[in-house]
Amino acid sequence: MVAMVEDVDEIEATAGDAKEAGTGGDGGCADVDHDDGGEASRRLPRGEEMKLYTEASAFEGAAVVAMIQRRDEEVGTEQKILQITMEDGITLSVELDPAEKRLNELGYRQELRRSLRFPGLYAVGVSFMTVFAGFVPTYAQGFINGGPAGLIWYWWITALFVHLIGVSMAEIASSFPTAGSLYFWAAALAGPRWGPLASFITGWMEFLGLAVCGANVSYGGSVILQVLILISTGGAEGGGFLLSKYTVFAIACAFVLICFLINCLPVRTVANVMVASSFIQITAAVVLIVMLPLVAPTHEPASWVFGDFGNNRDTTLTPSNAYSFLITLLVSQYSLYGYDCVAHLAEETKKADRTAPLAIMSSLSTVTVLAWLLVVVLTWSIQDPAHLFAAESVTGGMQPVVQIMWDAFYARYGSGLGAQVFTVVICISFFGATLSCQLGASRVAYALARDGGLPFSSLWRRLSSNRVPIAALSLSVVIGLLFLLPVLASSTLFFALASISTIAWVSAYSVPIFFRFAQKEKHFPPGPFYLPNYIGVTGSKLVHLLALLWVLYTLIVFNLPTMFPITVENFNWAPVAIAIWMKMFIAWWLLHARFWFKGPVREFEPTPGNSRVGSTKGF
């Protein structure tokens, strides 16, 4: 029996129908093959068949499950078919999701549950990048170093180049819809010679970036919660309750633990949580964009909002105007990355070769526009710029974004309740980002462990009964919390952790983009989203080159100090932490892993003769 089934979970029900109807009837259940050689009323044309793998069936009532490649000689096309032989001899053939076909062509079985669709994947992207959590912690840094105009206009410099990176990654994701995304892409694009080392470096750096990001974002959320409690109990000037640094750290750990427990659930359930988080964020952002200018009794003049690039170097002590410009750019750079996170779930998404590229670009564009509009509206609605960072303000100078909302609502209504409500939404955005980071980190660790790229890989690749990589998830949470411990010594290390996460993660971006740029076009197996179809080969190469240059610039700027004068407390420890991490895994590579690690390991040999089969030849 041949059926179109998008969800593997539907197979059992379909198999039951086949058992009831496979022997006789009106021919509605044709294409049923019997092991005894009996003829079914209709059959697919018999051509070449190649069995890719066979295993004992996990389906009730079925004896064997095999993956075959069948060539229809009448029309010259190939089909990827999951063939289930029932215990009574009836064979059920199920045509696979196109992304699952591609996964098999690359030499992997479908192990994770493929249940996500575009809305869930889009929600993962929005939930990770978040409309609020990116710019809220860094608004003050950008405002002081670039003035209101620098904060607003420099945003689009970053947005332009980040979208080029997004397009580059969307094209690669369309061709290689696999878990671990960047890790697998690096191996496939680098080719057999450089693939093992390229994927090893990419996987370890991406895992560090995601693991640290999850813990760091949770700490950012706990700081916002601290501010919420402060303004709800009288504010800094009214004797409000200020949490101790240990309590803030404990709340961050609680955030991490709650997100861990949610991520242990089936991925479809996690996606539903992210859909809810994204809906709340987007709705609140639109409401705030419309409401805040109406609520604020006064507004700053447009000439100041859009034209004042004052960098306050007498306060910041930055060495030059150019340096102040670079620090201001960090606001948008910290806000607009992580869009590759949706590709980590490619093996759990239906039609991922089309869905993943669309989710990458749509989620990136959504966050770019909404976050920028929020920056504009917040800056325009400032009641008193000198009051934003004052110790006697309601937030004690800790959080200018919350202060702007409080001043506007209090000036209009004599109450800051509206600011409190929107601060809750900001906390939700941090929670959603933590959830997404853990999800991505666990998939990268799972992909590495599946190929033996981690110590004790057999442990970290284990799946739960829900087919969730719970061991890899646990590993990512522990690594993240270990990196979070130093904030107990100084809360300013939050920014160093943000730099560590960004440097590690973005350095992983550079590897597949470099090899995609250097590769000969004839060696790249195009997916449904293929850049030369739209802008030609030359245009495609230019996109990849500009994306690569921006990634390299980002790696440099996030290693620079952001606070002056430099002290032990405000020193950017990111280069030191990254160097220690790299020394650790490079030493393991040189002493041990290079002798046996081959990058992504195929679970069976892919089908020959297909133009999109297997990895590319590199460059």
Side-chain angles (χ1 to χ4, degrees):
M1 177 178 182
V2 178
M4 287 296 295
V5 178
E6 291 188 347
D7 194 336
V8 174
D9 294 340
E10 300 173 21
I11 292 177
E12 291 188 42
T14 310
D17 294 340
K19 291 172 69 176
E20 293 178 6
T23 56
D26 59 1
C29 291
D31 304 326
V32 177
D33 298 337
H34 296 268
D35 287 347
D36 60 5
E39 285 294 321
S41 56
R42 293 197 304 273
R43 288 180 181 274
L44 286 177
R46 289 289 184 179
E48 296 181 9
E49 291 187 355
M50 176 170 291
K51 187 169 293 186
L52 301 183
Y53 66 81
T54 302
E55 61 185 19
S57 174
F59 303 113
E60 183 179 356
V64 177
V65 174
M67 185 69 65
I68 65 171
Q69 181 79 11
R70 174 178 293 170
R71 182 171 184 81
D72 186 335
E73 293 185 338
E74 290 188 2
V75 294
T77 61
E78 293 182 350
Q79 292 176 301
K80 189 76 64 174
I81 296 174
L82 180 68
Q83 191 176 79
I84 303 174
T85 302
M86 309 304 294
E87 292 175 348
D88 57 6
I90 298 175
T91 297
L92 172 67
S93 299
V94 184
E95 189 172 349
L96 299 182
D97 177 282
E100 187 169 340
K101 293 180 184 178
R102 179 59 177 146
L103 187 67
N104 295 147
E105 289 168 357
L106 293 168
Y108 286 96
R109 295 183 180 90
Q110 180 68 44
E111 294 182 324
L112 300 172
R113 189 181 301 278
R114 192 177 292 274
S115 58
L116 289 180
R117 299 180 187 272
F118 171 75
L121 205 58
Y122 168 79
V124 169
V126 173
S127 183
F128 178 81
M129 287 186 286
T130 85
V131 179
F132 293 96
F135 78 87
V136 169
T138 54
Y139 180 93
Q141 189 180 58
F143 184 89
I144 293 173
N145 285 280
L151 190 63
I152 290 170
W153 293 122
Y154 297 167
W155 183 279
W156 289 106
I157 297 175
T158 301
L160 170 63
F161 287 99
V162 165
H163 274 75
L164 292 178
I165 298 174
V167 169
S168 179
M169 289 190 173
E171 181 192 47
I172 302 173
S174 181
S175 180
F176 303 105
T178 59
S181 58
L182 300 173
Y183 159 75
F184 186 93
W185 301 348
L189 295 171
R193 180 180 180 184
W194 296 104
L197 178 59
S199 60
F200 190 80
I201 293 174
T202 301
W204 275 76
M205 294 302 286
E206 185 182 16
F207 173 64
L208 175 65
L210 282 162
V212 173
C213 185
N216 193 49
V217 168
S218 70
Y219 184 81
S222 67
V223 171
I224 297 298
L225 184 59
Q226 179 189 41
V227 174
L228 176 62
I229 293 173
L230 178 64
I231 65 176
S232 300
T233 56
E237 83 283 14
F241 182 68
L242 184 64
L243 302 178
S244 69
K245 64 179 181 180
Y246 300 104
T247 304
V248 172
F249 182 83
I251 292 174
C253 293
F255 269 21
V256 170
L257 178 60
I258 294 171
C259 290
F260 167 79
L261 294 175
I262 293 175
N263 272 315
C264 290
L265 300 174
V267 68
R268 183 180 292 177
T269 303
V270 179
N272 288 337
V273 175
M274 292 184 183
V275 167
S277 171
S278 300
F279 177 78
I280 292 171
Q281 289 185 59
I282 293 174
T283 302
V286 173
V287 170
L288 186 60
I289 289 167
V290 175
M291 177 182 288
L292 192 60
L294 300 176
V295 169
T298 61
H299 301 89
E300 294 298 326
S303 59
W304 180 80
V305 174
F306 296 103
D308 188 339
F309 291 87
N311 54 32
N312 301 294
R313 285 184 56 208
D314 54 335
T315 302
T316 62
L317 303 179
T318 50
S320 67
N321 292 336
Y323 202 97
S324 296
F325 166 75
L326 295 179
I327 294 178
T328 306
L329 277 179
L330 293 180
V331 178
S332 49
Q333 286 178 284
Y334 185 62
S335 301
L336 302 178
Y337 83 102
Y339 32 87
D340 65 300
C341 190
V342 301
H344 297 307
L345 301 177
E347 289 187 31
E348 298 162 84
T349 303
K350 298 178 185 298
K351 301 179 181 178
D353 51 347
R354 297 180 183 273
T355 304
L358 180 60
I360 288 173
M361 297 311 301
S362 57
S363 59
L364 174 58
S365 298
T366 297
V367 173
T368 298
V369 173
L370 286 180
W372 180 77
L373 289 174
L374 282 168
V375 170
V376 171
V377 165
L378 286 163
T379 307
W380 186 40
S381 301
I382 293 174
Q383 300 302 291
D384 181 4
H387 192 58
L388 288 182
F389 307 102
E392 64 274 10
S393 66
V394 69
T395 63
M398 294 171 56
Q399 182 39 250
V401 170
V402 176
Q403 186 67 51
I404 292 169
M405 295 189 296
W406 177 275
D407 288 343
F409 279 97
Y410 194 84
R412 173 70 69 181
Y413 301 111
S415 169
L417 179 60
Q420 292 170 288
V421 171
F422 283 108
T423 304
V424 170
V425 174
I426 295 174
C427 288
I428 292 174
S429 73
F430 278 92
F431 181 83
T434 302
L435 196 66
S436 299
C437 284
Q438 287 187 7
L439 189 68
S442 66
R443 270 49 179 185
V444 174
Y446 167 76
L448 264 173
R450 181 172 62 179
D451 300 324
L454 292 176
F456 311 107
S457 288
S458 60
L459 171 63
W460 308 125
R461 68 169 293 173
R462 291 179 182 175
L463 301 177
S464 69
S465 58
N466 295 322
R467 285 191 275 174
V468 173
I470 194 168
L473 176 63
S474 303
L475 177 64
S476 65
V477 167
V478 171
I479 295 294
L481 289 177
L482 288 175
F483 272 86
L484 188 62
L485 284 173
V487 300
L488 289 172
S490 174
S491 59
T492 58
L493 290 175
F494 168 84
F495 295 102
L497 288 175
S499 293
I500 292 171
S501 171
T502 306
I503 293 167
W505 200 345
V506 173
S507 65
Y509 287 9
S510 65
V511 181
I513 293 177
F514 167 75
F515 284 110
R516 175 68 184 100
F517 168 73
Q519 181 184 58
K520 294 180 179 179
E521 201 62 34
K522 65 181 181 180
H523 292 160
F524 182 75
F529 178 70
Y530 180 52
L531 278 178
N533 287 344
Y534 305 96
I535 57 176
V537 173
T538 302
S540 172
K541 292 295 185 183
L542 180 60
V543 166
H544 298 307
L545 175 61
L546 293 176
L548 180 62
L549 292 176
W550 184 257
V551 167
L552 296 178
Y553 157 77
T554 301
L555 293 178
I556 294 172
V557 75
F558 270 93
N559 277 290
L560 300 177
T562 58
M563 299 180 187
F564 298 89
I566 299 174
T567 64
V568 173
E569 287 193 348
N570 66 25
F571 181 73
N572 185 0
W573 292 96
V576 178
I578 293 293
I580 293 174
W581 180 263
M582 291 185 68
K583 285 181 179 179
M584 181 176 67
F585 76 76
I586 289 177
W588 189 48
W589 169 265
L590 293 175
L591 298 176
H592 185 57
R594 68 188 178 97
F595 298 108
W596 53 266
F597 182 77
K598 303 301 180 184
V601 179
R602 296 186 177 116
E603 295 177 317
F604 54 88
E605 283 303 312
T607 309
N610 189 312
S611 61
R612 293 188 62 215
V613 168
S615 63
T616 59
K617 296 182 179 180
F619 67 105

